[in-house]
């Protein structure tokens, strides 16, 4: 399902992560970023540095951020 995978788990520089995400994002894209392993504070400082720029730039381009359930049109049914 995810179509934007910047391979941040390889720990490239933040600028590479930003470029990969911005180049790959299209309307309806699902972006996968990794926050580290084993819980606690992220072990991926480059990803943490990239995220604010990604969000700011995509918002400026007119994108909005929604939950995955909203994007996929999931409507819970209650009995």
């Amino acid at each position: 399902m995810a179509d934007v995978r910047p391979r941040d788990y390889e720990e490239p520089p933040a600028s590479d992560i930003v470029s990969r995400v911005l180049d790959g994002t299209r309307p309806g894209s699902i972006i996968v970023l990794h926050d580290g392993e084993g819980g606690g504070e992220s072990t991926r400082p480059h990803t943490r540095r990239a995220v604010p720029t990604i969000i700011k730039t995509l918002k400026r381009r007119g994108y909005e951020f929604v939950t995955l359930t909203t994007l996929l049109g999931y409507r819970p049914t209650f009995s």
Side-chain angles (χ1 to χ4, degrees):
M1 281 181 130
D3 62 323
V4 181
R5 296 180 185 95
R7 300 186 323 269
D8 63 319
Y9 53 83
E10 295 173 351
E11 300 193 28
S15 59
D16 288 359
I17 297 169
V18 170
S19 293
R20 292 172 186 174
V21 170
L22 297 180
D23 291 346
T25 300
R26 305 286 178 266
S29 284
I30 298 172
I31 302 166
V32 175
L33 295 169
H34 298 81
D35 68 350
E37 298 178 29
E41 189 171 331
S42 173
T43 59
R44 305 202 192 284
H46 303 296
T47 299
R48 285 185 299 177
R49 280 196 293 280
V51 168
T53 301
I54 291 167
I55 291 172
K56 180 178 166 184
T57 304
L58 290 176
K59 283 185 172 183
R60 191 172 52 238
R61 291 182 182 178
Y63 286 92
E64 66 177 292
F65 293 82
V66 298
T67 64
L68 186 57
T69 54
T70 298
L71 179 66
L72 299 177
Y74 174 73
R75 303 281 186 260
T77 56
F78 298 98
S79 320

